[in-house]
Every structure is written in C-alpha cells, then in structure tokens.
C-alpha cells in the first residue's frame, strides 16, 4: 500500500480493501490488534491515507465492497484526528474535498452513528480552518446543516432519535463561532428549529440534547450580536 502510493500509482481495489480492514483493526477491542494496526497506519504516506479516508467517508463505489458503517465512522474520526494533528496545513491543503465529503456524509440518512461522526469531524476540521477559506463554503454548508437539522428534528418528533441531532447542534454552534458576524443572514433560518428542540426536549433522556441546543443558541447569539 505504501509503496504504491509513494510511486504515485492509483490505489488498487485490494489496497483499498486492506485499508478498510486496517480501519476496523484500529477500533478492535484487542490491544494487540490495535497496536499492530497503528504501526501499519503510521507508515502509510499522508496523501494516500487522506485519499483512502475520503473514499471510505463518501462510501464511494469502485468495484469493491462498500465500507461497513463502522469503517466509515472510523474514517470520519481519523480525518478529525488528522485535522488536529496537522492543522492548519491539513485544512489549507484538503479543505475542498474534506468539507464536501463530510457534508455529504451528514446528509446520508442510512446510519445515525456515521452521521454523528461526520458532524464531529467537521467541528474539529473547521476549528483550525482559516476563516478566509471557510467563508468560501458558508452558504452551501449552512444550507446542508439546515436541511439535515429539519430531517433530524422530524425524526426526534416521530421516533425520539437524538444521537445525530446532538452532534449536529454542536456543529452549528461551531460554524457560528468560526464565521461570527457572517452568520447573521442565517440566524432566522436556524433559530425557529433550535427553539422548537428546546421546547420538545423536556424528557430526562433528552436532557443532554436540550442543553447542547441552548448552548448552540447562545453561541449563535454571540456570533450575530445583540442587535440581531
């Protein structure tokens, strides 16, 4: 895998399958399996690693079996870790592909855990992303987050599902924190849904969701200013 990437040759199907198995091993309960996987992972070139991770996150079909949801979740988490470890160069180099991949993954309604991990990775990525780069994606990012918020709010009403919604409101707060006054045009889009969550999430098991939503409203208020 490493030799192919360093030679500049596109990864083969078997190499991608090996990488997905490696991601599974990174979250294996066995310490020995995880340790061996970590050693292999560290020796994979950065560009090759990022390409494989993005393919896993996007669930891209290319003649091989699609990554398992656990693999996709692990890939999201690993992208977030890389965004922390190599900031801000990682953000400067991969902002277009990573933001797009994570937003598309958040739109995928197939697995709440994958959605939640994608939202978490996006928070980590934008924390150290230069504002000058992030503003390029604000409009598409906000529209995506709002559409997912509406869907997740309906799921909360119908089924009581909350996992992805908890992470989503934190992501919205992080975006507002980062772009500050540029969030003003989107205030009226988000606030009705967020207030609706606060009104609905009164059961004991929804206490964390209610708290995170109140915190999100506070962050948005600070971002847009008291006049708005």
């Amino acid at each position: 895998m490493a030799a192919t990437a360093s030679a500049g040759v596109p990864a083969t199907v078997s190499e991608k399958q090996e990488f997905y198995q490696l991601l599974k091993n990174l979250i294996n309960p066995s310490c020995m399996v995880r340790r061996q996987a970590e050693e292999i992972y560290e020796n994979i070139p950065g560009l090759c690693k990022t390409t494989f991770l993005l393919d896993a996150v996007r669930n891209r079909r290319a003649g091989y079996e699609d990554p398992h949801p656990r693999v996709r979740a692990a890939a999201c988490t690993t992208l977030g870790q890389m965004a922390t470890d190599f900031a801000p160069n990682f953000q400067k180099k991969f902002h277009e592909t990573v933001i797009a991949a994570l937003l598309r993954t958040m739109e995928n309604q197939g697995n709440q855990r994958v959605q939640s991990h994608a939202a978490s990775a996006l928070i980590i990525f934008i924390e150290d992303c230069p504002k000058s780069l992030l503003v390029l994606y604000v409009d598409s990012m906000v529209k995506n987050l709002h559409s997912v918020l509406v869907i997740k709010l309906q799921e909360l009403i119908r089924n009581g599902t909350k996992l992805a919604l908890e992470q989503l409101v934190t992501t919205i707060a992080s975006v507002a924190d980062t772009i500050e006054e540029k969030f003003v045009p989107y205030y009226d889009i988000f606030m009705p849904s967020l207030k609706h969550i606060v009104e609905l999430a009164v059961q004991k098991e929804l206490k964390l969701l209610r708290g995170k939503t109140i915190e999100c409203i506070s962050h948005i208020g600070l971002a847009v200013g008291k006049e708005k």
Side-chain angles (χ1 to χ4, degrees), residues 141-159:
M141 188 184 301
V142 167
K143 288 177 181 176
N144 177 286
L145 292 174
H146 181 255
S147 65
V148 177
L149 178 65
V150 171
I151 293 170
K152 291 303 166 188
L153 178 54
Q154 292 303 313
E155 288 182 2
L156 174 68
I157 295 169
R158 291 196 308 267
N159 310 319

Side-chain angles (χ1 to χ4, degrees), residues 67-78:
H68 187 276
R70 286 187 66 197
V71 174
R72 297 185 68 203
C76 290
T77 300
T78 308

Side-chain angles (χ1 to χ4, degrees), residues 52-68:
F52 284 158
L53 286 168
L54 287 170
D55 280 351
V57 168
R58 290 182 295 222
N59 205 19
R60 174 173 288 174
R61 298 172 183 268
Y64 52 88
E65 184 180 355
D66 289 339
H68 187 276

Side-chain angles (χ1 to χ4, degrees), residues 1 3-12 15 48:
M1 190 184 302
T4 299
S6 62
V9 180
T12 65
E15 285 173 334
C48 180

Side-chain angles (χ1 to χ4, degrees), residues 99-165:
I99 290 176
L102 293 175
L103 287 175
R104 280 199 297 272
T105 304
M106 289 172 62
E107 284 184 327
N108 189 328
Q109 303 301 317
N111 189 288
Q112 287 233 10
R113 189 163 297 279
V114 174
Q115 283 184 302
S116 180
H117 278 75
S120 178
L122 185 61
I123 292 171
I124 296 169
F125 187 88
I126 65 178
E127 279 179 353
D128 291 307
C129 186
K131 188 175 179 180
S132 59
L133 293 177
L134 193 60
V135 294
L136 301 175
Y137 306 98
V138 166
D139 199 51
S140 61
M141 188 184 301
V142 167
K143 288 177 181 176
N144 177 286
L145 292 174
H146 181 255
S147 65
V148 177
L149 178 65
V150 171
I151 293 170
K152 291 303 166 188
L153 178 54
Q154 292 303 313
E155 288 182 2
L156 174 68
I157 295 169
R158 291 196 308 267
N159 310 319
T161 51
K162 59 176 182 173
L163 177 63
L165 188 55

Side-chain angles (χ1 to χ4, degrees), residues 142-143 146 149-150 184-194:
V142 167
K143 288 177 181 176
H146 181 255
L149 178 65
V150 171
V184 169
Y186 311 110
Y187 177 91
D188 293 326
I189 298 174
F190 282 98
M191 201 53 65
S193 295
L194 293 170

